[in-house]
Amino acid sequence: MVEAIGLSMAADAESARWLVRVIVSLLTVPGADEAEERRLVERFVLPVVVASRTS
């Protein structure tokens, strides 16, 4: 299930699993405020999603 969710955002199974782990981690231990959370997602999650769409 985790891999299937991730594969909708990443190109390969290993990247998909990693991406879902990061997202779950951000959800369970969120940033101090909305601005920090946005920065974390933009810096660490978005590049992986964008890269997988262009490759």
Side-chain angles (χ1 to χ4, degrees):
M1 182 67 168
V2 169
E3 191 173 302
I5 293 167
L7 283 171
S8 70
M9 297 177 279
D12 62 272
E14 192 170 67
S15 295
R17 287 190 302 274
W18 178 86
L19 185 58
V20 170
R21 289 175 65 185
V22 168
I23 292 168
V24 169
S25 192
L26 288 169
L27 290 170
T28 58
V29 185
D33 56 26
E34 188 176 326
E36 181 184 36
E37 190 70 18
R38 182 176 191 86
R39 283 191 310 273
L40 291 171
V41 171
E42 288 175 347
R43 182 174 179 190
F44 298 109
V45 177
L46 189 59
V48 175
V49 174
V50 170
S52 72
R53 296 290 181 205
T54 60
S55 43

